[in-house]
Every structure is written in structure tokens, then in C-alpha cells.
């Protein structure tokens, strides 16, 4: 079913990337997203691509798996490229197909934008591929900590996030189970006219909502029964800690930023 | 309908790092009209196996045939809906599939999808509701106002109303009270006999397997571990213990009896009463010899 989409999926592992402090990963990715928009020369793009690919290799996640998981995104990337070929009219005319003049500028720009897109998606999906949802929320809670001063409900936000993330797989499983049960009762989710298929969603959604509400109630009760009463005075089982390797990554990444800024034309 | 598995394997999330072989090289044959129990430790692949029976999943390799329908990795039956109307599946915790406003509508949902005429559906509901042990007053109620056990019965009625030729039951009585469990199993057994169904029962209960099945298949880690008549398979204590299963209580009793008194009473799926009678006979004989 949805098994080919990898965005948001965690692949267990023990690589350096897996073990980095999640705050380091989020920070690096945040700045990577910015710096991608600064790249505008062959060298700066190469630097970023090498950085991204080396990271992928270090994670030990099969490259084929990642590429396949990005299938829906490939479509967008190619679409962007073609759009640029048609619309951009800079540089000299290279050749023409179907009456469209293809300019050199268009080719270069199309390629650059697609590359930018690809790098963004690849690097951001690396975050969820190598970090558990719990780590991500812990990191976000830590990083938003200063906002507590202005009464921003940081702990509650993090709790909501981690509960939602925790229940995504459960809900997906439930969806699959219920859709199988209803398919056995003759519901056809895959073929037939659109109207029929929309109607087929009702027997799926109703039980799903019912069970989600039931779960929410049960969870709230279980949390209260075990004495949960908000973030006040609560300690953590796993403390986040910046290690030497994190510092090394920061230094390395600053170097990458410097190179990109230096090599832009 | 005859059911045949030929070297069937099934892999979840194939071609990803999460790929997981749930069934491996499984072959067996279930003749039409038999009552088969599928037993295995949790995670041994029972639920995965039964999803092949109405084409919810297709084998990753190998071949499944159900009557005239054939399932392989490349080929699915063209008349899938027809297959599903002839193979009814009661899933683990089927109460999760309820969604209609009233119990009556929910039971009618399956038959409607399979284009059964309205009048027929009403007749079937009248038949099936008392069978599963529900009161007719409940028909107009919302299924979500019922108790867990009642919801389970509604869900089962919803599958029975389809009137399938093959009935597949995935632990249908888990979580019911002991009396309800017995009533439910007896009901399935009566239907099996009266309507000449082919029944596939997934269960953890050795007692149910001995009592109802005429053929058992034991799964372990997705492969077939043992297969045969209940009295042959379910008496092999050592082999069963190896896969975290136990022999039925009656067998345990007869084995202890043999150890203690040196008398062998062969296990032929007799009831408690029959065992008591054999013992009685033995004591009488022993008494008259003295
Ligand atoms: N949707 C799924 N995705 C990935 N793996 C799965 C999925 N469903 C089941 N599995 C795995 O396949 C194996 C067999 O599962 P299955 O549900 O068939 O076991 P079972 O014998 O029915 O167990 P139980 O007695 O607990 O119901 C298990 O190891 C399980 O983790
Ligand atoms: Mg199961």
C-alpha cells in the first residue's frame, strides 16, 4: 500500500548520523535548507551534493530504498525541470523540439532548480529516517525552551507532537485492518465510479474515528492514573547531550557553508 | 470449495529494509466440506495465511487456489467480488468493523454489497440474529451502544448474512465469556454441518481444535510444523511443547493416568464422559479379577 513512501519513516540503525544529538541534526538541516538557496555555481552545488550524498552513505540506509521512497517527489522534480525548459528564455538557442526553442539558460536553470529541490527533500527526509519521533520532539522541546518565558506552552506542544507521532503508525495499521474487513464485506475501494468510491470511505472513516476517540480517552485515563500532571517538575529519562562528534559536525558544516558562500558566482 | 496452497510465501513490505517474511514455502490441501483448525504461537503467520483465502493479499511466490479462483503474484482472479461473497472472513476483533447507524443496517451491509435482493436480506437477518444469540429488539439500536460481546455478535452476524461457502474464523471467540465462547463455537459447528460449509478456524485453544476440527495445521514461524488428524497431532506433547503449545487437557489427563496406573486409554477425541466410562469399566474389570 503506502509502503513505498518513506517521508516520516524511521529506519533503525547505529551509524554516526543515527547517534548524533537530534538538536545537531535539526540545526544542520535548518541551515542546509537556507544555504541551498545561496548556491548558484557549479562548485557550490557540487559541495552541497557531496555533503548530502556522503551523509546518506554514512547512514548505511540502502540508496536504492531512499531513491524509491522519493518516487512521488521525482515526478515534481522532473515537472519543474520541464517547466523551466519551456518558460525560461535566456542565453542562446540550443535546439528546438516541437516548435519550442530550448535556450542554454533554461537548461542550466532547470537543472539548478531541480537539483535544489532534490537536495532539500533528500536532506530533510534524512532527519526522520535516522531520528526517532521521540528524539525529534525532545529536541524541539529543548530548542523552544526559551519561549517558556513568554508563557508559550512548550511542554504541552511537545507532548501533543509526540503523541501524534506515536499514533500515526497505529492509525495506519488500524486503517489497513478495517479496510480489509470491509473489503471482505464487499466494499470496493479501488475500482468503480468516483461517486461509489467516495461512498466506500464512510465504512472506513467511521470505525477509524470511533477507535481514535476511544484510544484518546483510554490514554488520558492511563496517564492520569499514573500521576501525570503536566511538565512542572518533570525530569527526563534520556537527557540530550552534545558530544564531541556533534561539535565536529558543526565545524564541518560551517566549513561547507563557507565553501558554498565562497564559491558562489 | 477446495483450498490448496502450493509453496506459498508472503513477504510484508517487500523490497524495503522492513521486508519481513511472514509465511514461507507453505503447502497444504483442504478438501471441500472439512473443518480445519490452524494453530500456532502468536506471530506464526496465521492471520497472514487466512488473508489469502479471499484475495486480500496475494502470495509473494507460490500459488493459492480456492475452488476455481487462482491467486499468484502476477495473477488475481477477475471476479474478486464473487470470491469474497463465497469466502466469508470473521477477523480478529471484528467489532471494529461496525459503522452503520443501526445493528440491522450493519448486518445488511455485506449482503447489499453483493447485490442480494432486499427481501432476501431481511429474511437472512431474521435467521441469523437469533443464531448468534442476539435479541431482535437490538436491531434498531446503534451498534455503538452495545456491550463488547454484543458488538462481536453483530459483526459475526454481518458475515454470516453473506451466506458464504467457506467460513474463515480468526479467533472468533477471543474475549468472550466462557459460556458465550461455547455457544458461539457450537453455533459455528452446527452451521458447518447443516449447510455443508468449509470452515477454517484460527485458534489458540487446543480444546476447540480437538472438539470441532477434523484436520489441524500447526504453524511455526511462518512454516508448516505439523499437519494431520487432531488425535494424531495434538497428542504429541514433546513436539508441541517445542513451539510453545500444549496438548489438550484430556490428553494431559490420559497421559498422567497412564503414568500413575500403568493403564493406556488411547485418545480418540472422546468426551470427558466417555473417558470416565472407560475408567469405570477398567476399575470394574480389575475388581472382578481380584
Ligand atoms: N502489516 C504488517 N506489516 C509488517 N509485518 C506484519 C504485518 N502484519 C503482520 N506482520 C508480521 O508478520 C508475522 C505474522 O503475523 P500474523 O498477524 O500473521 O501472526 P498471527 O499468527 O496471526 O499472530 P496472532 O496469534 O498474534 O494473531 C508477524 O511477525 C508480524 O509481526
Ligand atoms: Mg492473528
Amino acid at each position: 500500500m503506502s509502503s513505498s513512501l518513506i517521508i516520516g519513516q524511521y529506519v533503525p540503525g547505529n551509524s554516526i548520523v543515527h547517534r548524533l544529538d537530534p538538536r545537531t541534526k535539526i540545526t544542520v538541516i535548518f541551515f542546509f535548507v537556507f544555504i541551498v538557496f545561496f548556491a548558484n555555481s557549479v562548485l557550490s552545488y557540487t559541495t552541497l551534493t557531496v555533503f548530502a550524498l556522503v551523509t546518506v552513505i554514512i547512514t548505511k540506509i540502502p540508496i536504492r530504498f531512499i531513491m524509491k521512497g522519493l518516487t512521488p517527489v521525482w515526478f515534481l522534480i522532473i515537472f519543474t525541470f520541464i517547466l523551466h525548459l519551456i518558460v525560461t528564455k535566456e542565453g542562446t538557442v540550443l535546439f528546438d523540439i516541437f516548435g519550442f526553442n530550448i535556450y542554454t539558460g533554461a537548461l542550466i536553470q532547470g537543472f539548478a532548480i531541480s537539483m535544489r529541490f532534490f537536495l532539500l527533500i533528500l536532506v530533510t527526509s534524512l532527519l526522520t529516517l535516522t531520528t526517532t519521533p521521540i528524539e525529534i520532539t525532545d529536541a524541539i522541546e529543548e530548542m523552544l525552551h526559551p519561549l517558556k518565558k513568554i508563557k508559550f506552552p512548550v511542554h504541552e506542544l511537545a507532548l501533543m507532537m509526540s503523541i501524534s507521532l506515536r499514533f500515526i503508525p497505529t492509525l495506519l495499521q488500524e486503517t489497513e485492518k478495517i479496510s480489509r474487513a470491509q473489503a471482505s464485506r464487499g466494499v470496493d475501494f479501488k475500482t468503480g465510479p468516483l461517486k461509489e468510491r467516495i461512498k466506500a470511505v464512510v465504512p472506513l472513516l467511521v470505525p477509524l474515528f470511533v477507535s481514535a476517540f476511544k484510544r484518546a480517552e483510554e490514554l488520558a485515563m492511563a496517564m492520569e492514573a499514573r500521576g501525570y500532571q503536566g511538565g512542572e517538575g518533570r525530569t527526563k529519562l534520556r537527557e540530550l547531550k552534545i558530544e564531541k562528534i556533534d561539535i565536529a559536525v558543526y565545524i564541518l558544516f560551517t566549513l561547507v557553508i563557507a565553501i558554498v558562500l565562497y564559491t558562489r558566482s | 470449495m477446495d483450498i490448496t496452497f502450493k509453496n506459498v510465501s508472503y513477504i510484508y513490505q517487500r523490497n524495503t529494509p522492513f521486508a519481513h517474511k511472514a509465511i514461507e514455502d507453505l503447502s497444504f490441501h483442504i478438501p471441500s466440506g472439512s473443518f480445519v483448525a490452524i494453530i500456532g504461537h502468536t506471530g506464526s503467520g496465521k492471520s497472514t495465511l487466512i488473508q489469502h483465502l479471499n484475495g486480500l493479499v496475494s502470495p509473494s511466490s507460490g500459488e493459492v487456489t480456492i475452488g476455481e479462483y487462482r491467486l499468484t503474484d502476477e495473477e488475481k482472479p477477475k471476479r474478486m467480488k464473487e470470491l469474497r461473497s463465497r469466502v466469508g472472513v470473521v477477523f480478529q476483533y471484528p467489532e471494529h468493523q461496525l459503522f452503520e447507524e443501526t445493528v440491522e443496517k450493519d448486518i445488511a451491509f455485506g449482503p447489499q454489497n453483493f447485490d442480494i435482493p432486499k427481501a432476501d436480506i431481511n429474511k437472512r437477518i431474521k435467521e441469523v440474529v437469533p443464531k448468534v444469540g442476539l435479541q431482535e429488539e437490538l436491531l434498531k439500536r446503534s451498534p455503538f451502544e452495545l456491550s463488547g460481546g454484543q458488538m462481536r455478535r453483530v459483526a459475526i452476524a454481518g458475515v454470516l448474512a453473506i451466506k458464504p461457502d467457506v467460513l474463515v474464523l480468526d479467533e472468533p471467540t477471543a474475549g468472550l465469556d466462557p459460556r458465550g465462547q461455547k455457544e458461539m463455537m457450537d453455533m459455528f459447528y452446527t452451521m458447518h454441518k447443516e449447510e455443508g460449509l468449509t470452515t477454517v478456524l484460527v485458534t489458540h485453544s487446543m480444546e476447540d481444535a480437538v472438539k470441532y476440527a477434523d484436520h489441524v495445521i500447526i504453524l511455526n514461524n511462518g512454516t508448516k510444523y505439523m499437519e494431520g488428524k487432531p488425535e494424531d497431532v495434538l497428542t504429541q506433547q514433546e513436539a508441541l511443547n517445542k513451539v510453545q503449545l500444549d496438548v489438550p487437557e484430556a490428553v494431559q489427563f490420559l497421559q498422567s493416568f497412564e503414568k500413575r496406573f500403568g493403564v493406556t486409554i488411547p485418545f480418540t477425541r472422546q468426551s470427558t464422559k466417555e473417558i470416565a466410562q472407560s475408567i469405570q469399566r477398567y476399575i470394574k474389570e480389575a475388581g472382578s479379577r481380584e
Side-chain angles (χ1 to χ4, degrees), chain B:
Chain B
M1 290 197 286
D2 278 28
I3 299 167
T4 311
F5 273 54
K6 216 157 92 193
N7 307 102
V8 172
S9 297
Y10 184 78
I11 305 170
Y12 278 108
Q13 314 204 21
R14 197 159 25 155
N15 302 330
T16 74
F18 304 100
H20 177 85
K21 212 169 207 173
I23 290 187
E24 194 168 358
D25 198 21
L26 194 60
S27 303
F28 59 80
H29 176 74
I30 300 176
S32 186
S34 47
F35 195 124
V36 181
I38 295 179
I39 309 176
H41 191 56
T42 182
S44 56
K46 305 181 295 289
S47 298
T48 311
L49 187 164
I50 59 159
Q51 283 172 33
H52 288 83
L53 297 178
N54 69 347
L56 286 176
V57 300
S58 303
S60 304
S61 65
E63 179 188 315
V64 175
T65 25
I66 304 118
E68 69 258 38
Y69 308 91
R70 213 173 86 95
L71 284 157
T72 63
D73 191 20
E74 299 91 32
E75 188 190 331
K76 280 184 187 178
K78 285 190 194 66
R79 290 163 298 153
M80 190 64 104
K81 204 161 167 179
E82 194 184 287
L83 169 65
R84 290 190 182 153
S85 73
R86 299 185 62 186
V87 179
V89 184
V90 175
F91 281 94
Q92 265 175 312
Y93 302 101
E95 52 273 27
H96 294 163
Q97 74 196 29
L98 302 178
F99 75 99
E100 280 283 11
E101 294 150 66
T102 68
V103 169
E104 186 172 17
K105 278 190 191 168
D106 209 290
I107 299 178
F109 180 68
Q112 256 164 23
N113 285 329
F114 294 122
D115 306 317
I116 310 292
K118 191 97 181 76
D120 260 5
I121 297 181
N122 288 335
K123 218 174 88 202
R124 289 184 184 191
I125 293 177
K126 289 257 153 34
E127 262 173 45
V128 90
V129 161
K131 263 194 195 157
V132 296
L134 284 173
Q135 283 93 35
E136 280 214 16
E137 297 92 82
L138 295 181
L139 280 179
K140 298 284 170 226
R141 293 261 291 274
S142 154
F144 298 109
E145 293 169 357
L146 307 181
S147 77
Q150 287 170 325
M151 281 164 90
R152 173 79 55 91
R153 286 161 208 267
V154 173
I156 290 175
V159 175
L160 295 182
I162 298 170
K163 287 212 172 172
D165 302 328
V166 179
L167 188 58
V168 182
L169 308 162
D170 194 350
E171 298 185 44
T173 61
L176 290 183
D177 58 280
R179 168 123 178 250
Q181 289 190 359
K182 185 174 175 317
E183 280 171 10
M184 193 63 89
M185 281 312 303
D186 285 342
M187 187 272 297
F188 287 133
Y189 192 64
T190 316
M191 275 191 70
H192 169 79
K193 286 281 171 223
E194 279 174 2
E195 295 174 30
L197 301 179
T198 309
T199 307
V200 179
L201 169 73
V202 170
T203 181
H204 277 127
S205 158
M206 291 298 185
E207 315 304 326
D208 283 351
V210 156
K211 199 163 160 197
Y212 303 107
D214 43 42
H215 193 82
V216 292
I217 297 173
I218 310 241
L219 290 185
N220 182 39
N221 279 334
T223 56
K224 189 169 76 184
Y225 183 66
M226 284 199 273
E227 181 184 9
K229 290 200 181 113
E231 56 268 38
D232 297 335
V233 172
L234 299 182
T235 45
Q236 301 185 28
Q237 182 146 27
E238 255 174 55
L240 289 175
N241 284 351
K242 255 188 222 150
V243 292
Q244 283 111 36
L245 295 171
D246 229 330
V247 295
E249 269 180 13
V251 176
Q252 277 174 37
F253 173 79
L254 290 177
Q255 283 173 356
S256 316
F257 189 78
E258 183 179 347
K259 247 191 225 143
R260 180 81 174 73
F261 298 104
V263 178
T264 313
I265 301 173
F267 180 68
T268 53
R269 297 168 68 191
Q270 60 273 64
S271 63
T272 319
K273 202 168 156 194
E274 286 164 334
I275 292 178
Q277 281 166 349
S278 316
I279 295 175
Q280 210 176 19
R281 253 198 318 278
Y282 167 73
I283 294 175
K284 270 191 193 143
E285 277 169 26
S288 62
R289 248 184 274 135
E290 269 175 19

Side-chain angles (χ1 to χ4, degrees), chain A residues 146-154 156:
Chain A
L147 289 181
K148 266 211 166 129
K149 291 216 179 67
I150 55 163
K151 293 252 160 55
F152 186 80
V154 175
E156 284 72 13

Side-chain angles (χ1 to χ4, degrees), chain A residues 138-168:
Chain A
D138 272 358
I140 289 178
E141 186 174 357
E142 281 299 313
M143 293 167 85
L144 292 182
H145 200 77
L147 289 181
K148 266 211 166 129
K149 291 216 179 67
I150 55 163
K151 293 252 160 55
F152 186 80
V154 175
H155 173 76
E156 284 72 13
L157 188 77
L159 181 74
M160 269 160 58
M161 258 186 71
S162 58
I163 290 178
S164 325
L165 286 171
R166 157 66 186 78
F167 279 101
I168 288 173

